[in-house]
Amino acid sequence: MARRHGNGSRMIVCCGEALVDVLDGDESRAVPGGGPMNAAIAAARLGAPSAFVGRVSTDEAGQLIWRHLQRSGVDLRACERGAEPTAKAIVSLVPHPSFRFEGDDTADTALDAADLAALGHGPHILHGGTLGMFRGRTADVLASLAERHDGLVSLDPNVRPAIVEDRHRWDRFHKRWLSVCDLFRASDEDLAWIWPGRAADDCAAELLAGRISTVIVTRGHQGVTVYTAEGQLDVAAPPVDVVDTVGAGDAFVGAVLASLWERPGADRTAFAALDLRQWRAIAERAAAAAAITCTRPGADPPDDAELETVLAESLR
């Protein structure tokens, strides 16, 4: 995977779960998934040095995940392996749509430690969210990593209500991440679940009053809103023929992180100083990456050449 211009030893480090989605209940149709893993792959395909931190099973599904990460050029030096089974999200469409999650005592919940020393001194961009934020002992390991991290911290809660068995536990770990977060991305559906009955503008204003410098709210085909201390801007979603929306949000996040990595001096001070003009370019690029992902089945984000071609065509 070709890298864009260098930024020393800084990397995008995505932390959390790797699992498999089993389609139509057929084990032979298992595909790798997991929000942070998808974001790591999206960033790597766009040429940014990306690492995944989590625990991946040594079972057959875990081997599938491992090869998927390797093929996309994701750094695995800070990743653990374990004999625990791989978590499975089983999706069936016949005779009627149904969802079942098999995730008790799985590898993604059993991370022992998170040590980024093997990745160089950074400072890295740290990203987390989805299931790894609140499940098992992994949740505390990753929250502690975020709390001691000296680089940018990004959070995408990427809520999965059907899997949240203990709302108080989820809230507790969400608040830990929010307390050290610089960039917060959520869908409009996430916001409705986290803060019921509140408008996105109100949620963003409260988040910006604390540590967070930028809030991004995605609304599917209705586009994206970026909030900063300077104000807010809206970016349209490129029109595409949608095949599958799986992984689109993760592709969006990976593209945002890749754009931030490309910018020299992207520490917290420089990040907070990004203006709305710069954020428009970042959000338009990320929205295009998400749109491309929607045109094919599964979480299959574009590489850099494909994204550049689409962006160039949009300017004609």
Side-chain angles (χ1 to χ4, degrees), residues 27-181:
E27 293 283 347
S28 68
R29 298 185 63 195
V31 295
M37 187 200 72
N38 290 338
I41 286 172
R45 290 186 182 181
L46 293 177
S50 171
F52 177 66
V53 176
R55 188 171 174 93
V56 177
S57 177
T58 54
D59 66 10
E60 184 177 354
Q63 292 297 95
L64 178 69
I65 290 167
W66 198 259
R67 291 192 297 269
H68 182 58
L69 286 160
Q70 289 177 321
R71 282 194 298 267
S72 291
V74 176
D75 193 312
L76 298 172
R77 288 176 294 172
C79 198
E80 288 182 359
R81 304 298 302 273
E84 306 87 2
T86 299
K88 299 175 182 177
I90 301 173
V91 180
S92 296
L93 299 178
V94 292
H96 52 77
S98 64
F99 171 86
R100 185 173 82 255
F101 183 66
E102 296 181 358
D104 292 341
D105 301 318
T106 48
D108 61 296
T109 69
L111 186 66
D112 285 318
D115 185 358
L116 306 187
L119 304 180
H121 56 79
H124 306 297
I125 299 173
L126 185 71
H127 172 73
T130 319
L131 306 186
M133 189 189 76
F134 69 93
R135 282 183 18 100
R137 69 170 179 254
T138 296
D140 188 62
V141 169
L142 296 184
S144 297
L145 174 65
E147 287 163 348
R148 66 178 185 270
H149 187 63
D150 61 358
L152 290 176
V153 175
S154 164
L155 176 65
D156 177 5
N158 200 11
V159 180
R160 297 291 182 261
I163 301 175
V164 178
E165 297 178 348
D166 184 341
R167 177 62 187 262
H168 293 296
R169 176 181 173 85
W170 189 95
D171 286 337
R172 185 166 73 254
F173 281 104
H174 183 235
K175 288 175 181 177
R176 287 181 67 178
W177 275 87
L178 285 182
S179 70
V180 295
C181 178

